[in-house]
Amino acid sequence: MKGDKREEQGPGPETVAPQQPTEDEEALIEFHRSYRELFQFFCNNTTIHGAIRLVCSKHNRMKTAFWAVLWLCTFGMMYWQFGLLFGEYFSYPVNLNINLNSDKLVFPAVTVCTLNPYRYPEITEQLKELDSITQQTLLDLFKYNASTLEAQPRHRRDVHPPLPHPLQRLRVPPPRLEARRARSSASSVRDNSPEVGRKDWMIGFQLCNQNRSDCFYQRYSSGVDAVREWYRFHYINILSRLSDTSLSREQLGNFIFTCRFNQASCGDGNYSHFHHPMYGNCYTFNDKNNSSLWMSSMPGINNGLSLTLRTEQNDFIPLLSTVTGARVMVHGQDEPAFMDDGGFNLRPGVETSISMRKESLDRLGGDYGDCTQNGSDVPVKNLYRSKYTQQVCIHSCFQENMVKECGCAYIFYPLPEGVEYCDYRKHNSWGYCYYKLQDAFSSDRLGCFTKCRKPCSVTNYELSAGYSRWPSVTSQDWVFQMLSLQNNYTVSNKRNGVAKLNIYFKELNYKANSESPSVTMVTLLSNLGSQWSLWFGSSVLSVVEMAELLFDLSVITFLMLLRRFRSRYWSPGRGAGGAREVASSPVSALPSRFCPHPTSPSVPQPGPTLPPSLTAPPPAYATLGPCLSQSGSACAPGEP
């Protein structure tokens, strides 16, 4: 028996006692046993103000409830402010910074046009035919004999076939009775102002598609507008038959009498020439092809560009240009001159002085603004040999749609490769397609204004003009005489034959506008810290404490759910797995207090007494069934 005792006592201390930690020992990772214990520990040790009051006032439930509600309210207010701060940050607001700089300035490019389409020798006969048909149309519609047109009367043997899309008078149906009553009831006083479409007829011309299944009339209430647009439509078709080489360069001296910059005369290397269908010959000074760009080191009228222009109209087309003078535009060196968009007219017999002030703008791209750096990310091909601008993109977009829908290119915009300009001799329905496309373009149904984003860097010139009579009455005789002798040209109509233009910098100070982020990451963190300190009076470490609290909450919740899952599916008696687990568990590993249901009385087995530190059960055995005898000692392995 003693030997048996020794055999039972011998292996006990070596195998069981060292494997079970005591309650006083600290494990590597510990978690709180309940939510109450966790929150009590957090409130006693956190650096967040007000949390300790929840524990100190636990004997006064009213104070506890008050501090709990107050703590939750401040917590909610703080995170509401956090939401506002994050919303402001992710809206990407910007600040506009304005800087005033002073330095030498590069003089901008200046484009001047004659404002008169020219009669090219290659199309003289076709223009004469158009003028003759126009003269007959004016006589038929308005009973006006257009003797001022440079067209010879046609003989019967020289009668040409009529032009397509003739100009005609169109009947306008009278308004309905309900519309007349509504208009009369809405007007309480007599309307003496003229109203478009008040007559019972309008002027227009018919346009049809390829198979003439769909037609419409291009209508105008003004006879002047109708004649000009109709003549312009046919003139574009005639002009498209010219080759690029036939657009000969007009001599500069025939249009510009004098040219000076910074009191020095201009040379042939200071300008370039191009032709505009409506504004005739145009000359660009100081563009990117200039031998050396002009610099302005001083402001004032004597330190800029001074031009004396000829504004007479000889052998030009009066039905296209109804004004006299010249057209001028100021733009950047690497930007095309859109004379329709940004130009203005010069009056003959007047000296026009234009003062400039430079202004630049740098926008933030990306999330802060919808702009592009160089247009490479814009889904429109740049047809101009220049840098990206919004106007360049818009015109290129319209030309792309024109080629795609109509099969030909519009003569006002650059010609894409492999495409020819529209001519109703080759494309008989291009007019129908063009006017339909123009309507869709104006209403942005083509999407050009959406596709073409603003450039991130823009340079503008703010212009202000002054006018004075030139030359004066006392000096006009000798001025005209000198101009005639110098240019070998006699000014027949003195006052309406010349104009003077001065362009200069008003001051060398220029405004540089730039955008910067209004809320940066540093600003956001500063604002978040201010709100945290305002509502809780704590620091960044307090945020870590809150994160630790949330982590502990999630771990405790996970362990409780895991314990409930094991108790439900892995408890003994619920299958062979549970029986095997109980059978394989050593008796010494089951503490007496963990078997709350006593079994039948049995004789206590001799053996060593378990230390108290081993009576704390591990969580996995919390649901084991009863295994103790009535005496309270552990059961033998073979006992029921």
Side-chain angles (χ1 to χ4, degrees), residues 9-284:
Q9 292 175 358
E14 294 179 1
T15 58
V16 179
Q19 294 178 359
Q20 299 295 332
T22 63
E23 293 182 355
D24 297 333
E25 292 180 358
E26 182 178 357
L28 181 61
I29 300 177
E30 288 186 344
F31 295 102
H32 299 278
R33 300 180 179 179
S34 63
Y35 293 120
R36 181 183 182 88
E37 180 181 351
L38 173 62
F39 281 107
Q40 186 173 0
F41 174 81
F42 175 79
C43 294
N44 285 332
N45 297 277
T46 185
T47 59
I48 299 177
H49 294 350
I52 191 65
R53 304 297 301 176
L54 296 175
V55 180
C56 295
S57 60
K58 62 183 179 180
H59 299 292
N60 191 332
R61 294 184 178 180
M62 183 177 294
K63 286 186 177 182
T64 303
F66 170 76
W67 280 102
V69 171
L70 184 61
W71 195 86
L72 292 176
C73 289
T74 54
F75 192 81
M77 289 294 296
M78 182 190 68
Y79 277 95
W80 175 63
Q81 292 293 324
F82 280 6
L84 296 179
L85 292 176
F86 278 107
E88 182 184 11
Y89 175 77
F90 286 108
S91 65
Y92 301 104
V94 296
N95 291 329
L96 183 62
N97 306 317
I98 301 177
N99 298 322
L100 192 62
N101 303 323
S102 179
D103 198 358
K104 289 184 179 181
L105 298 178
V106 178
F107 200 81
V110 178
T111 299
V112 185
C113 296
T114 59
L115 206 58
N116 295 296
Y118 185 67
R119 291 179 179 269
Y120 293 94
E122 293 83 353
I123 56 175
T124 301
E125 294 299 325
Q126 300 178 48
L127 289 179
K128 284 184 178 181
E129 178 186 352
L130 177 60
D131 291 343
S132 180
I133 296 177
T134 304
Q135 184 178 2
Q136 185 64 38
T137 301
L138 293 177
L139 183 62
D140 294 340
L141 294 180
F142 301 101
K143 308 302 179 183
Y144 172 70
N145 185 11
S147 58
T148 58
L149 296 178
E150 298 292 335
Q152 300 295 331
R154 293 180 298 170
H155 302 285
R156 183 172 299 274
R157 65 176 181 272
D158 298 331
V159 173
H160 297 280
L163 294 175
H165 316 292
L167 193 65
Q168 51 188 308
R169 182 179 298 179
L170 307 176
R171 276 283 179 182
V172 177
R176 296 180 179 180
L177 181 62
E178 295 80 1
R180 291 200 301 267
R181 289 178 179 177
R183 186 172 57 187
S184 60
S185 61
S187 177
S188 58
V189 296
R190 181 180 178 85
D191 185 12
N192 295 320
S193 60
E195 182 179 342
V196 177
R198 180 167 289 184
K199 299 290 184 180
D200 59 347
W201 55 270
M202 300 180 72
I203 303 295
F205 51 97
Q206 190 183 40
L207 297 165
C208 297
N209 59 358
Q210 185 72 27
N211 55 7
R212 302 188 66 85
S213 60
D214 184 25
C215 299
F216 71 93
Y217 284 94
Q218 188 70 16
R219 303 170 181 266
Y220 299 91
S221 59
S222 170
V224 175
D225 295 338
V227 172
R228 285 192 61 195
E229 183 63 25
W230 178 81
Y231 192 96
R232 175 177 174 271
F233 174 73
H234 289 285
Y235 175 76
I236 288 175
N237 288 272
I238 296 175
L239 197 63
S240 64
R241 300 162 196 166
L242 286 172
S243 60
D244 293 337
T245 57
S246 63
L247 298 178
S248 58
R249 174 175 174 176
E250 186 184 3
Q251 294 295 325
L252 182 68
N254 294 339
F255 174 55
I256 298 178
F257 290 139
T258 62
C259 173
R260 295 176 64 84
F261 178 77
N262 276 348
Q263 304 300 318
S265 299
C266 306
D268 292 338
N270 299 129
Y271 72 92
S272 59
H273 169 266
F274 69 94
H275 178 266
H276 193 277
M278 299 302 299
Y279 299 112
N281 290 298
C282 300
Y283 303 89
T284 302

Side-chain angles (χ1 to χ4, degrees), residues 608-634:
T609 304
L610 295 176
S613 60
L614 299 181
T615 59
Y621 302 101
T623 58
L624 292 178
C627 60
L628 292 181
S629 61
Q630 292 180 352
S631 61
S633 60

Side-chain angles (χ1 to χ4, degrees), residues 211-374:
N211 55 7
R212 302 188 66 85
S213 60
D214 184 25
C215 299
F216 71 93
Y217 284 94
Q218 188 70 16
R219 303 170 181 266
Y220 299 91
S221 59
S222 170
V224 175
D225 295 338
V227 172
R228 285 192 61 195
E229 183 63 25
W230 178 81
Y231 192 96
R232 175 177 174 271
F233 174 73
H234 289 285
Y235 175 76
I236 288 175
N237 288 272
I238 296 175
L239 197 63
S240 64
R241 300 162 196 166
L242 286 172
S243 60
D244 293 337
T245 57
S246 63
L247 298 178
S248 58
R249 174 175 174 176
E250 186 184 3
Q251 294 295 325
L252 182 68
N254 294 339
F255 174 55
I256 298 178
F257 290 139
T258 62
C259 173
R260 295 176 64 84
F261 178 77
N262 276 348
Q263 304 300 318
S265 299
C266 306
D268 292 338
N270 299 129
Y271 72 92
S272 59
H273 169 266
F274 69 94
H275 178 266
H276 193 277
M278 299 302 299
Y279 299 112
N281 290 298
C282 300
Y283 303 89
T284 302
F285 295 87
N286 197 39
D287 64 349
K288 62 181 180 179
N289 299 321
N290 197 9
S291 55
S292 60
L293 295 180
W294 292 339
M295 300 293 297
S296 293
S297 56
M298 293 184 64
I301 193 172
N302 295 324
N303 300 286
L305 177 64
S306 178
L307 300 173
T308 304
L309 309 175
R310 172 197 169 200
T311 58
E312 282 190 338
Q313 296 177 328
N314 292 328
D315 198 26
F316 290 104
I317 306 175
L319 288 172
L320 283 180
S321 179
T322 57
V323 295
T324 182
R327 192 167 182 86
V328 63
M329 180 180 177
V330 178
H331 54 92
Q333 270 78 20
D334 200 19
E335 299 177 4
F338 295 109
M339 306 304 294
D340 287 324
D341 302 335
F344 55 92
N345 296 339
L346 301 179
R347 182 180 176 184
V350 173
E351 180 180 17
T352 304
S353 298
I354 301 174
S355 61
M356 302 182 299
R357 178 176 293 176
K358 182 180 177 181
E359 185 174 350
S360 62
L361 174 61
D362 292 328
R363 300 184 180 94
L364 289 176
D367 296 327
Y368 292 95
D370 187 19
C371 69
T372 177
Q373 294 292 340
N374 52 11

